[in-house]
Amino acid sequence: MDLDVFVTAHRAEWDRLDHLLRRGRRLSGTEADELVALYQRTATHLSLIQSSAPDPLVTTRLTQLVARARATVTGTRRATWRDAARFLTAGFPAAVYRSRRWWIPTALLSTLLAVVIGWWIGVHPEVQSAIAAPDELRQMTRPGGEYETYYSSHPAASFTAQVWTNNAQAAAMCLVLGAFLCLPVIWILFVNVLNLGVGIGLMSSAGRLDTFLGLILPHGLLELTAVFVAAGTGLKLGWTVIDPGPYSRRTALAQQGRAALGMALGLALVLFVSGVIEGFVTPSGLPTWARIAIGVVAEVVFLAYVYILGGRAVRTGETGDVEEADRSAELPTAA
C-alpha cells in the first residue's frame, strides 16, 4: 500500500467525519446516517493501515477518530441497578459455571494434596520437629492453644474485615496473575494447600483433628471454594495465553480477562460471607455440629446458586462477559 496515495484518497472522508463529530447541534437523519457510514469506513481504513503500512501519526489520528465516532454512534450509559441485578443473577454465576471444568479438578486435587501433606506430617515426628520446636508445637495444638484462640483473638467485626481483605486479595491475585502462564496461581494455591495440610498434620498428631475440623469447616468450605474458583479461573486465563482456540490471542484474552475481573467482584462478595462466618460463627459458643451445619448450608446455597442460576444463564447464551454494547468493537479487516 502506498500510504501517501491512500491518505490523499480518504482524507476528505476523515475530515467530514471529524466535522460531523464536532457539530454542537443534533444531527439530521441524513447526517446521522452519513456519520455511521463514515465511522464504518474509517474503522476499515484504520485496520488496513495497521496491517499494511503502520504509520504512528495516521494511526493515532484514526484511532482517536474511530473512538469518538463509536462513542457517538453507540452512546454512553451509566451503570444502573439493572446492571447489578444482571451481574448477580446471570453474569457472575454463569462465569463460575462455565469455568467449572477448571475449578472442580483444582478443588479435588488441592484437597487431596492437603490430606496427603497432613497425613505425612502427622505420622512423621521428624517432619513435625522440622516445623517447630516441641514446646512450640504443644503451644499451638493444646486445648486453648494458638489454633483455637486465633479465631477469637480480635473483635469479630475487625477480624472479619481482616480475613475478608486477605482472602479477597489472594483471590484477585489468582485471577489477575493467571495470564502469566499459570505459574503464580499454582504457587498461591500451593501455599494455601500447604498451610491447610500443616494444620491437619499437627492437630491430628496431637489427637485433636476433630477440633481442628470443627474450627475450619464452618467458614472453610465456602472460603476454599471461592479460592479454588479463583485459582481455576486464573489457570483457565493462563491456558488461554497458550491456546487461544479459534480466536486471536488478543481477543480470547480480552474475553477471558473481562470475565475474570467480573468474577473478582463476585468472589469478593462470597468471601465477605465466609469472613462473616469466620468472624462471628467459628469462634462462637455454638455446638460444633451447629457451626459446621451453618458452613454446609452456606456451601450448598452457593453451589445451588452457581448450578441453577448459572446453568440456566449459560443455556440462554450468557458468557459472564460484559454486554455486547460495552465491548470493544472488532475492527473490520477488509475494505
Side-chain angles (χ1 to χ4, degrees):
M1 174 192 293
D2 188 319
L3 182 61
D4 293 333
V5 172
F6 189 85
V7 170
T8 301
H10 297 289
R11 179 183 286 119
E13 294 176 302
W14 305 339
D15 291 341
R16 175 60 178 168
L17 176 59
D18 183 64
H19 174 72
L20 291 174
L21 292 173
R22 293 178 182 275
R23 292 279 290 272
R25 61 179 179 81
R26 294 175 61 89
L27 300 177
S28 66
T30 302
E31 290 173 329
D33 290 340
E34 182 185 7
L35 187 147
V36 172
L38 288 172
Y39 158 59
Q40 294 173 334
R41 286 204 292 271
T42 304
T44 301
H45 299 159
L46 174 60
S47 178
L48 288 171
I49 291 174
Q50 287 177 323
S51 60
S52 303
D55 179 87
L57 293 178
V58 178
T59 299
T60 299
R61 186 199 175 189
L62 294 188
T63 299
Q64 295 173 348
L65 198 56
V66 168
R68 289 167 52 209
R70 180 177 184 272
T72 301
V73 171
T74 62
T76 58
R77 65 181 183 85
R78 297 179 180 178
T80 64
W81 287 110
R82 173 184 170 274
D83 297 315
R86 174 185 172 273
F87 172 74
L88 292 175
T89 59
F92 173 57
V96 178
Y97 182 83
R98 292 181 73 243
S99 64
R100 69 193 185 281
R101 291 183 178 85
W102 287 88
W103 63 261
I104 290 179
T106 298
L108 295 176
L109 290 174
S110 298
T111 302
L112 178 60
L113 180 59
V115 171
V116 170
I117 292 174
W119 168 83
W120 181 61
I121 293 174
V123 299
H124 291 86
E126 66 275 12
V127 177
Q128 300 167 30
S129 62
I131 296 174
D135 289 342
E136 294 176 331
L137 294 178
R138 282 192 295 271
Q139 182 64 25
M140 286 189 290
T141 59
R142 66 177 176 82
E146 294 177 6
Y147 271 115
E148 292 185 43
T149 58
Y150 169 76
Y151 298 101
S152 56
S153 57
H154 297 86
S158 62
F159 184 69
T160 296
Q162 177 184 345
V163 168
W164 176 46
T165 301
N166 292 339
N167 290 334
Q169 287 177 343
M173 289 176 65
C174 284
L175 292 168
V176 173
L177 298 179
F180 294 94
L181 302 179
C182 307
L183 298 178
V185 178
I186 294 173
W187 173 251
I188 294 171
L189 192 60
F190 176 73
V191 170
N192 280 272
V193 168
L194 181 61
N195 289 335
L196 178 60
V198 169
I200 292 173
L202 295 181
M203 289 294 275
S204 64
S205 67
R208 307 195 67 231
L209 181 59
D210 56 339
T211 300
F212 181 75
L213 294 179
L215 292 170
I216 287 293
L217 292 179
H219 65 274
L221 290 172
L222 188 59
E223 177 184 301
L224 287 174
T225 299
V227 171
F228 293 146
V229 170
T233 304
L235 293 173
K236 182 181 180 182
L237 182 62
W239 187 253
T240 301
V241 178
I242 300 171
D243 181 14
Y247 302 101
S248 68
R249 184 167 282 102
R250 178 179 178 180
T251 299
L253 273 176
Q255 292 175 347
Q256 295 298 333
R258 287 192 299 263
L261 289 177
M263 195 177 290
L265 297 176
L267 290 178
L269 296 177
V270 176
L271 289 168
F272 176 75
V273 175
S274 72
V276 169
I277 296 174
E278 188 170 359
F280 290 91
V281 175
T282 299
S284 70
L286 292 173
T288 300
W289 67 266
R291 289 185 280 114
I292 293 178
I294 291 173
V296 170
V297 169
E299 175 75 356
V300 170
V301 168
F302 176 69
L303 293 178
Y305 165 74
V306 169
Y307 274 84
I308 295 176
L309 289 185
R312 182 187 304 159
V314 168
R315 287 190 289 273
T316 61
E318 178 65 57
T319 64
D321 200 351
V322 297
E323 293 191 50
E324 185 174 359
D326 296 326
R327 303 173 196 168
S328 299
E330 293 295 324
L331 295 176
T333 56

